[in-house]
Amino acid sequence: MIQGLGLCAELKILSGNGSRPATIELCAQFQRVTGHRIVLEFYVNPTVKSKIEAGEYFDVAVLNPPVLDALIGMGKIDSSSRVTMGRIGLGVAIRKGSPRPDISTVQAFKKTLLQAKSVAYPGDGASGKYFVTLIDQLGISQEMATKMRPMSGEYNVEGVANGQVEMIVVVASRIYGVDGVDYVGLIPQELQTWIGFAAGVSEHSKEKEVARNFVKFISSQEAAKVMIPIGIEPFVE
């Protein structure tokens, strides 16, 4: 358990959307335990990377490992602070109360996609890019062309809840806690990809000691208890 460190500090956290529900809860827990204040901002991973490259101030970044590692290579994030938090698979969600589709096998998932009137997915970021290649891999790109609905990172699951789109394929954790949607399950294992997420401390953080303690906290055994119910497989060293 992380103890309070005396005077309260403020940390600015820049995070990708995939880990949103877990990151929100872990930040809240860290604040309660330590008394430190956290300012938390979510964007798609490429936007976070662009903001950091442009010099925006932050204390900790929570991102897909390749994006985080690229920023380490640029000297933006302290390599010694890097931790892998976990990984998330792609899942399917529908509007609450809609008939539950079959996604239990590759053929069933393919049939469900073809029968859907519209399928949302993140327009930016690793999971959305993978889903587009998956449609091609399944050999249904032409049939799905008019049904595909790339959505913004801030709005993609909510578009299902309000009936704008029929279903969505997105990292499973992003579905957690969104009112008006039913979680169907993970896509078949044969088609699955795992989106990792990791964290690191800014080289220019004014609160490096607190930031390092935060990174340790969100990759701890206690953090794993938060991540598992949300559909995240934690990685605890």
Side-chain angles (χ1 to χ4, degrees):
M1 181 70 72
I2 301 294
Q3 300 298 319
L5 301 175
L7 294 176
C8 292
E10 180 176 285
L11 296 181
K12 180 177 178 179
I13 315 296
L14 294 179
S15 177
N17 280 310
S19 62
R20 178 191 290 260
T23 302
I24 289 172
E25 177 57 29
L26 291 171
C27 285
Q29 287 189 14
F30 185 79
Q31 288 184 126
R32 288 195 296 270
V33 170
T34 66
H36 298 307
R37 180 171 181 264
I38 290 179
V39 177
L40 181 57
E41 296 181 11
F42 289 100
Y43 306 95
V44 293
N45 277 258
T47 298
V48 175
K49 184 171 181 284
S50 295
K51 284 177 173 290
I52 292 174
E53 286 176 331
E56 181 164 331
Y57 180 84
F58 71 103
D59 295 289
V60 175
V62 180
L63 295 162
N64 294 343
V67 179
L68 191 80
D69 291 341
L71 291 167
I72 289 173
M74 297 175 196
K76 301 289 187 179
I77 291 175
D78 182 351
S79 61
S80 69
S81 70
R82 185 195 188 283
V83 296
T84 300
M85 297 170 62
R87 66 176 192 169
I88 319 162
L90 293 188
V92 174
I94 55 174
R95 192 175 188 183
K96 193 172 185 64
S98 298
R100 196 176 187 84
D102 184 4
I103 62 168
S104 60
T105 66
V106 172
Q107 286 305 312
F109 180 55
K110 180 177 178 179
K111 183 178 179 181
T112 289
L113 290 172
L114 290 171
Q115 290 178 339
K117 294 179 181 178
S118 55
V119 180
Y121 63 97
D124 297 303
S127 63
K129 291 176 181 177
Y130 175 78
F131 180 60
V132 172
T133 65
L134 184 59
I135 292 298
D136 186 55
Q137 178 184 328
L138 290 170
I140 56 174
S141 296
Q142 186 173 347
E143 294 92 331
M144 294 297 297
T146 60
K147 303 179 181 186
M148 299 285 276
R149 300 288 187 274
M151 308 289 277
S152 74
E154 296 299 315
Y155 188 65
N156 48 43
V157 182
E158 290 76 5
V160 178
N162 65 27
Q164 184 179 353
V165 288
E166 185 175 326
M167 62 182 289
I168 185 167
V169 179
V170 67
V171 289
S173 60
R174 182 64 182 87
I175 300 165
Y176 178 84
V178 179
D179 292 333
V181 302
D182 284 335
Y183 175 56
V184 179
L186 293 175
I187 68 172
Q189 181 60 40
E190 300 95 320
L191 305 176
Q192 188 62 264
T193 187
W194 294 94
I195 308 298
F197 63 106
V201 175
S202 169
E203 285 282 13
H204 305 292
S205 172
K206 299 172 184 175
E207 302 287 353
K208 279 199 171 182
E209 183 180 359
V210 179
R212 283 181 174 275
N213 275 283
F214 173 76
V215 167
K216 290 177 184 177
F217 178 74
I218 62 176
S219 58
S220 66
Q221 290 285 357
E222 288 300 311
K225 296 175 185 177
V226 173
M227 291 188 272
I228 291 170
I230 295 172
I232 299 171
E233 289 190 6
F235 178 83
V236 180
E237 298 186 73

